[in-house]
Every structure is written in structure tokens, then in C-alpha cells.
Amino acid sequence: MDLVLGSTVELKKPHPCGSRTFTLTRVGMDVKLVCTSCGHEVMLPRKKAEKAIKAVLSVPEEGSTHV
């Protein structure tokens, strides 16, 4: 799976706050996700994160510098 920094993803299971959407803020061997609802940060190994992602909702534009 191709994970892009700044993408918004939907996970299979909801966060305890009820939201399923997260933003990718770090991509590498570990993936850092930030909940779009409450702002909680979660670090997961890449393999576990790829299994947890249900869909990629949006990908930032190529020239964008926003993280």
C-alpha cells in the first residue's frame, strides 16, 4: 500500500472518541496517525497500520507543503 504524508485515511475500527478518520503525519517503518476529531496521536508499525486502513479518503496535492 502506498501511504502518502498528509493523507486522510479511514480505519476499520473507530477510535474511542468515535471517529474513524485520521491524518498521516509520519510515514516510514512506523506510521503516525492523528485523529481528525480529538487530535490524539497514534504510532503503529507500518504493517499493522496497512491492515487497519480501510480506505484512503484524500491525498494532498503534489506541490503542497502542508503537513
Side-chain angles (χ1 to χ4, degrees):
M1 177 181 285
D2 189 27
L3 300 176
V4 180
L5 188 66
S7 297
T8 302
V9 297
E10 180 181 6
L11 300 185
K12 293 177 184 175
K13 293 185 178 181
H15 187 251
C17 72
S19 176
R20 288 178 185 239
T21 57
F22 287 78
T23 304
L24 296 173
T25 58
R26 179 178 179 203
V27 179
M29 286 298 291
D30 294 320
V31 176
K32 188 175 196 178
L33 302 162
V34 178
C35 180
T36 56
S37 178
C38 67
H40 189 261
E41 297 178 348
V42 180
M43 289 279 289
L44 295 172
R46 186 182 189 103
K47 195 168 193 170
K48 191 169 184 177
E50 288 177 349
K51 283 185 176 184
I53 294 173
K54 182 177 181 180
V56 177
L57 301 177
S58 67
V59 178
E61 295 177 14
E62 201 168 306
S64 176
T65 57
H66 183 271
V67 176

